[in-house]
Amino acid sequence: MPRTIYWRVFIKSTDMDKARSICSSLISQIGGLCQVGSCDVYWKDKSLIEVEISQELSSQDKQSFLIALFKNLSHLSRTWNINMPANLTEENFELSGTSDEILRSEIAWVGFELER
């Protein structure tokens, strides 16, 4: 059962080529089928480039999917703010999170949200 994760990443750079290179490296790190949706200078802070990535993860069940997701999260940061419903079911499988304590110095902030 494939699910899509939508990543929002803020890269510390004003150089678009450098940001694309960092983005490619990030995509290699998280794996899966990834596609960059947008890559633009962040309008609130011109020293950041905002990148949106969609990642498709395929798994047999929810448990396998969550294990793959949490592996990806652990590669990016050790501290996450996770939001999820009190009753996580197949029908109510909403999950999102953010972190600003990224293990890679060139990234300022990462957020993710599962496809609803």
Side-chain angles (χ1 to χ4, degrees):
M1 159 177 81
R3 290 198 184 263
T4 304
I5 304 169
Y6 296 97
W7 297 92
R8 187 173 175 210
V9 181
F10 288 97
I11 297 173
K12 299 176 189 174
S13 179
T14 56
D15 182 337
M16 198 60 74
D17 290 332
K18 181 178 177 184
R20 285 188 182 102
S21 174
I22 293 167
C23 185
S24 294
S25 172
L26 176 65
I27 287 171
S28 295
Q29 186 176 5
I30 62 174
L33 296 173
C34 295
Q35 183 174 341
V36 176
S38 66
C39 184
D40 298 305
V41 174
Y42 185 44
W43 66 276
K44 285 186 179 178
D45 184 344
K46 303 294 185 202
S47 69
L48 299 174
I49 294 179
E50 179 182 13
V51 181
E52 293 181 1
I53 302 167
S54 60
Q55 175 190 27
E56 189 174 302
L57 283 180
S58 188
S59 62
Q60 299 301 323
D61 57 26
K62 188 178 358 178
Q63 182 179 354
S64 299
F65 174 79
L66 288 173
I67 289 170
L69 172 64
F70 289 134
K71 267 188 190 178
N72 280 344
L73 295 179
S74 72
H75 291 303
L76 298 173
S77 174
R78 302 287 185 245
T79 306
W80 288 91
N81 295 313
I82 304 289
N83 302 307
M84 58 187 270
N87 183 19
L88 191 64
T89 64
E90 285 295 330
E91 298 79 36
N92 189 20
F93 194 72
E94 295 179 24
L95 187 65
S96 63
T98 62
S99 180
D100 59 1
E101 297 179 25
I102 311 305
L103 297 173
R104 299 178 58 163
S105 62
E106 67 271 13
I107 298 176
W109 183 92
V110 174
F112 74 91
E113 184 173 317
L114 295 186
E115 176 182 43
R116 294 183 183 181

